[in-house]
Amino acid sequence: MSSTLLEVTRSSHEDVERLERLVVKELQREVTSNRDRLLQNHRVRNMIDAIVGTTHKLVDIYEDKDNARKDEIAALGGQTASGTNVFSAFYDRLKEIREYHRRHPLARVIDPTEDFEEIVKEEPHVEFSGEEAFGRYLDMHELFNEFINSKFGEPVEYSAYLDTFSQFHKVSNQLKSSRQYKSYLEHLLEYLVSFFERTEPLQDLGRIFLKVESEFEDLWTDGKISGYENKGLENGHVSSQEHIIDLDYYSSIEELMEVGPEKLKEALAARGLKVGGTLKQRAERLFLTKHTPLDQLDKKHFAKGSLNLEQNGDAVPQQNSKEIALLEAKLQRMCELLKEKIIQTKENIEKKQAMTYEEMEAEREEEEVQADSESDDEEQQIYNPLKLPMGWDGKPIPYWLYKLHGLGQEFKCEICGNQSYWGRRAFERHFKEWRHQHGMRCLGIPNTKNFNEITSIQEAKELWEKIQEKQGLNKWRPDLEEEYEDKEGNIYNKKTYTDLQRQGLI
């Protein structure tokens, strides 16, 4: 019944609209954990891919390269070779529909909405390694081993590697031209792209790279790529194209010698060839490149710094500088997009270095249990229109208890640094806590029962002065504070001096 091309077109449009509504519905759903957010994004990505695939089919139908759509529309209009008969086409179609239902009287009407609802409910399969912790951290141990075992790498700790792996300017141009370095960059970019696509499936990485490539081409043409502005003659390259001689204009070595020794030297250096020798030797060496590609020339013609010998002995001319620079530009962009993940990975590594294996396993199990409990608990919305405080079970406390203990009343204590305490019980309890005791100690006042209910610094000082006056600590007491001196120069207060004098000791 739905085999006609027009019916397929209508059904495809309906599928696209239904998927669009499901995308909106899915994005409006609030998620609570990183795992739920990741799975939600992947579900939306799958629906977007389905929309794109269906749209491509519709484009092919509307282009109608085989004229099938045009013929079907003509047949529905009753157009035949003998003429136009609308009623004949209508009754033929009606007869076909009746015959179908006569043969299938118990045919069930399929609701396509059910199939699309299953898309939202299903959980996408996203693979992460144990170290990646479902997209929370990067797992770059293989790349780290490749780096420290290479000629351009250096022996560093894994945490230090996470800080420096994007600092490509530290590698010399001579080492950058090796196959090993290019292979390392390709593996690094492949992993970062894979990780980004798994953690951010809704991002259009292709469009990001197109922008990077367009900006790179402009900077490369202007010679503004960092580290590639001027490689110098010692590396076998020059930065300007005006020094490269076009050999198509020269048919003999003698004609090439007329250019001059300096121009020949610059042209040889641009191709990575030796620049020494007489004028004729330079011209002969340069003329060899007119009919022979650089990768087929004998090694003896190349300068010492222009070839990088790999472990297998193959020579690699420095022809891939632009490709390597483009890889570095893409990697720099990926590091900017994954900056937070790199920082979190480093912090996680440093934390694990101070933990035992049992502690790491316990933390991993706790995170898994917490993630499952969060997803279950948050699904139940708590009804709390009066905005009552939460109890120990995560539910609002009874309203009578709220009024009885005055939990809605706010108390502030200036001595504690303007700390707020909700409820009478919490306010009374805080006088015995370390925060209040520390504040009283800073004021030079003992934290006694006399200062309960005192929250102002000025009131506490005034009360302390009154207590001191009441105890007589500020009055002049001559028997204790008046000083006397004997013949030997010893100092006594009045009471002690009098007692010693009566005893005849002075």
Side-chain angles (χ1 to χ4, degrees):
M1 288 297 294
S2 60
S3 59
T4 62
L5 199 58
L6 292 179
E7 177 61 23
V8 171
T9 304
R10 185 207 63 77
S11 177
S12 299
H13 278 292
E14 184 180 1
D15 293 344
V16 170
E17 292 178 0
R18 187 175 288 110
L19 285 170
E20 289 175 349
R21 288 194 294 269
L22 286 176
V23 167
V24 175
K25 180 180 178 181
E26 179 67 18
L27 291 176
Q28 287 177 343
R29 187 172 62 88
E30 295 183 0
V31 293
T32 58
S33 62
N34 177 68
R35 181 188 181 91
D36 293 339
R37 181 193 65 81
L38 195 61
L39 295 177
Q40 181 189 59
N41 290 344
H42 276 280
R43 279 192 292 267
V44 172
R45 184 69 209 181
N46 293 338
M47 287 186 277
I48 292 176
D49 291 340
I51 291 174
V52 172
T54 306
T55 306
H56 285 319
K57 293 180 182 178
L58 286 171
V59 171
D60 293 338
I61 293 174
Y62 283 121
E63 287 179 353
D64 199 18
K65 295 180 180 180
D66 55 355
N67 293 325
R69 182 171 180 272
K70 182 179 179 181
D71 295 341
E72 186 170 325
I73 293 175
L76 286 177
Q79 297 179 7
T80 60
S82 58
T84 302
N85 191 346
V86 179
F87 292 102
S88 176
F90 170 77
Y91 284 112
D92 289 342
R93 183 62 177 162
L94 179 62
K95 182 180 178 181
E96 180 183 350
I97 294 173
R98 286 177 175 175
E99 183 66 20
Y100 174 84
H101 286 286
R102 186 186 64 80
R103 292 197 305 268
H104 306 89
L106 301 177
R108 185 174 65 90
V109 178
I110 300 175
D111 187 6
T113 307
E114 297 178 0
D115 298 334
F116 287 98
E117 290 292 341
E118 292 297 326
I119 297 177
V120 180
K121 295 179 181 179
E122 68 181 4
E123 182 173 319
H125 178 66
V126 189
E127 291 186 358
F128 288 100
S129 66
E131 188 70 20
E132 290 173 337
F134 213 82
R136 294 174 59 189
Y137 311 114
L138 293 166
D139 183 7
M140 303 181 66
H141 287 86
E142 293 185 5
L143 297 165
F144 167 68
N145 292 329
E146 185 177 352
F147 175 79
I148 61 177
N149 293 315
S150 63
K151 293 182 179 180
F152 55 85
E154 55 184 1
V156 295
E157 295 290 337
Y158 181 59
S159 58
Y161 170 75
L162 294 174
D163 280 334
T164 59
F165 79 90
S166 59
Q167 299 175 0
F168 307 111
H169 61 276
K170 293 185 177 181
V171 183
S172 64
N173 288 335
Q174 183 176 353
L175 293 174
K176 283 184 177 182
S177 59
S178 63
R179 288 199 185 106
Q180 190 180 30
Y181 181 73
K182 184 178 179 181
S183 175
Y184 165 74
L185 293 183
E186 290 174 347
H187 294 163
L188 181 59
L189 181 62
E190 180 182 359
Y191 172 73
L192 293 181
V193 168
S194 172
F195 182 83
F196 187 79
E197 289 177 345
R198 285 177 291 158
T199 55
E200 299 291 340
L202 298 182
Q203 292 284 349
D204 191 353
L205 201 55
R207 182 177 299 178
I208 294 174
F209 279 163
L210 283 177
K211 184 178 179 181
V212 171
E213 291 173 0
S214 62
E215 294 175 353
F216 172 82
E217 289 294 337
D218 296 338
L219 294 174
W220 181 265
T221 304
D222 298 337
K224 296 181 180 179
I225 300 295
S226 177
Y228 297 88
E229 303 92 345
N230 187 1
K231 305 179 183 62
L233 296 178
E234 66 277 4
N235 288 333
H237 287 271
V238 291
S239 60
S240 177
Q241 295 292 331
E242 64 184 7
H243 300 301
I244 301 177
I245 298 175
D246 190 355
L247 297 177
D248 293 336
Y249 293 101
Y250 302 93
S251 58
S252 65
I253 298 175
E254 288 74 15
E255 293 180 4
L256 198 57
M257 291 173 61
E258 298 177 358
V259 175
E262 293 300 324
K263 289 288 185 180
L264 289 174
K265 182 179 179 180
E266 294 171 355
L268 288 169
R271 290 168 170 81
L273 302 174
K274 292 181 179 179
V275 297
T278 62
L279 177 62
K280 185 176 180 180
Q281 289 174 342
R282 294 179 183 178
E284 290 175 350
R285 195 179 302 122
L286 182 61
F287 198 75
L288 285 174
T289 62
K290 181 175 181 178
H291 303 291
T292 306
L294 286 176
D295 55 354
Q296 296 181 11
L297 282 179
D298 195 345
K299 300 176 186 178
K300 65 181 182 179
H301 297 298
F302 287 93
K304 186 176 181 181
S306 64
L307 291 178
N308 296 278
L309 298 178
E310 298 292 334
Q311 296 178 355
N312 56 6
D314 295 335
V316 184
Q318 292 185 343
Q319 297 288 318
N320 55 355
S321 297
K322 186 176 180 180
E323 296 178 5
I324 292 175
L326 180 58
L327 286 173
E328 291 177 351
K330 290 182 177 179
L331 284 168
Q332 290 288 358
R333 182 58 180 148
M334 291 302 304
C335 291
E336 293 175 3
L337 295 173
L338 296 171
K339 183 178 179 180
E340 293 185 3
K341 296 291 183 182
I342 295 173
I343 295 174
Q344 292 175 2
T345 303
K346 182 185 176 183
E347 293 176 350
N348 182 53
I349 292 299
E350 293 175 348
K351 183 179 70 173
K352 283 186 175 181
Q353 289 175 349
M355 299 172 64
T356 62
Y357 175 77
E358 291 76 11
E359 291 174 341
M360 288 189 288
E361 286 296 316
E363 183 183 17
R364 183 181 60 82
E365 294 176 359
E366 183 180 352
E367 289 178 354
E368 292 178 355
V369 172
Q370 184 177 3
D372 296 337
S373 61
E374 284 181 359
S375 59
D376 294 339
D377 294 341
E378 293 296 332
E379 291 179 357
Q380 303 177 358
Q381 296 183 357
I382 299 174
Y383 181 71
N384 187 15
L386 298 178
K387 298 182 180 180
L388 300 173
M390 297 297 173
W392 61 271
D393 57 352
K395 298 180 180 179
I397 65 172
Y399 183 72
W400 63 267
L401 185 62
Y402 171 80
K403 296 298 290 183
L404 178 64
H405 294 279
L407 296 178
Q409 188 176 1
E410 180 184 9
F411 298 89
K412 282 191 175 182
C413 182
E414 186 181 4
I415 299 175
C416 299
N418 290 323
Q419 182 73 16
S420 295
Y421 299 94
W422 290 90
R424 184 69 189 176
R425 179 176 296 180
F427 174 68
E428 293 176 353
R429 192 186 304 120
H430 99 279
F431 290 108
K432 299 180 181 179
E433 295 177 352
W434 69 269
R435 186 190 301 272
H436 190 81
Q437 294 176 359
H438 178 70
M440 296 291 288
R441 198 179 304 117
C442 292
L443 296 176
I445 303 174
N447 187 27
T448 62
K449 294 182 179 180
N450 297 323
F451 294 91
N452 282 359
E453 305 293 331
I454 301 297
T455 59
S456 172
I457 294 177
Q458 185 64 29
E459 292 179 359
K461 288 182 177 180
E462 293 176 355
L463 180 58
W464 176 237
E465 291 176 358
K466 291 180 180 179
I467 293 174
Q468 287 179 324
E469 291 178 359
K470 185 177 181 180
Q471 294 176 350
L473 295 179
N474 288 340
K475 293 183 178 180
W476 170 254
R477 293 181 294 178
D479 56 332
L480 296 177
E481 298 177 1
E482 189 175 2
E483 296 179 348
Y484 290 81
E485 183 178 356
D486 60 3
K487 295 179 180 180
E488 297 178 358
N490 298 318
I491 303 298
Y492 305 97
N493 57 33
K494 183 179 180 181
K495 181 179 179 182
T496 305
Y497 184 85
T498 305
D499 292 339
L500 293 174
Q501 194 178 36
R502 289 174 180 173
Q503 295 175 13
L505 300 176
I506 298 178

